[in-house]
């Protein structure tokens, strides 16, 4: 590969949203990996709108029922603030296991380490294994199996303690 081909490949990968690509031939071996830590740090404030969207269907209810969700919202923010989100690095379809008959990569209560595979996101017929960037215990799976996910959408809550 010449430098122009490498640059074009890197540009394509950046636009596609892939987190990591490995290419190996007889002549060379190349690995391109995005720095996803900067994305996680920058996206931390984006977690606040998610709890706001969930109570929206209760808005037409009576004033008595509206008072009840307010403490739940505050409690949810306090509880989830100690958890770290594992987010989707791309748009695609979320899978909890490598094959439908195989067990899930992780379940609620499982202890994970940084670098452990937690799920697969399929994008354009490519199955991308998503690795955890944090160590801890899986507290909640936020996405159903075989569901579409957006870029930067939270997939799991992890208790880093």
């Amino acid at each position: 590969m010449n430098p122009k081909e490498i640059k074009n490949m890197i540009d394509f990968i950046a636009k596609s949203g892939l987190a990591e690509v490995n290419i190996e031939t007889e002549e060379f071996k190349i690995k391109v990996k995005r720095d996803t830590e900067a994305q996680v740090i920058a996206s931390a404030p984006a977690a606040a709108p998610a709890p706001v969207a969930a109570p929206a269907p209760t808005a037409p209810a009576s004033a008595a029922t509206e008072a009840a969700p307010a403490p739940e919202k505050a409690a949810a923010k306090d509880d989830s603030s100690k958890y770290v989100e594992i987010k989707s690095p791309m748009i695609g379809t979320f899978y909890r296991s490598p094959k439908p008959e195989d067990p899930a990569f992780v379940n609620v209560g499982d202890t994970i380490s940084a670098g452990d595979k937690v799920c697969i996101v399929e994008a354009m017929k490519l199955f991308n294994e998503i690795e955890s960037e944090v160590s801890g215990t899986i507290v909640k799976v936020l996405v159903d199996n075989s569901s579409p996910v957006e870029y930067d959408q939270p997939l799991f809550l992890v208790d880093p303690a």
Side-chain angles (χ1 to χ4, degrees), residues 81-131:
S81 65
K82 65 181 176 181
Y83 301 135
V84 177
E85 295 175 336
I86 297 176
K87 297 183 178 186
S88 177
M90 66 192 75
I91 296 172
T93 304
F94 171 83
Y95 295 105
R96 294 193 59 197
S97 61
K99 296 179 186 172
E101 65 274 3
D102 289 351
F105 285 108
V106 294
N107 292 304
V108 174
D110 289 355
T111 302
I112 59 170
S113 301
D116 287 354
K117 293 178 182 84
V118 293
C119 66
I120 291 176
V121 175
E122 176 194 3
M124 298 172 55
K125 304 292 182 195
L126 295 174
F127 291 86
N128 304 284
E129 294 180 337
I130 309 303
E131 297 178 352

Side-chain angles (χ1 to χ4, degrees), residues 11-83:
D11 290 341
F12 172 76
I13 293 167
K15 290 177 185 175
S16 71
L18 296 174
E20 183 176 340
V21 174
N22 295 321
I23 299 175
E24 192 171 335
T25 67
E26 293 177 5
E27 300 171 0
F28 66 89
K29 181 178 179 181
I30 186 167
K31 179 178 182 178
V32 179
K33 187 172 183 179
R34 285 181 149 205
D35 179 19
T36 55
E37 286 184 35
Q39 295 172 355
V40 172
I41 293 169
S43 64
V52 175
T58 62
S62 68
T65 56
E66 284 182 24
E72 290 175 14
K73 233 193 298 185
K77 285 183 182 179
D78 292 340
D79 290 344
S80 65
S81 65
K82 65 181 176 181
Y83 301 135

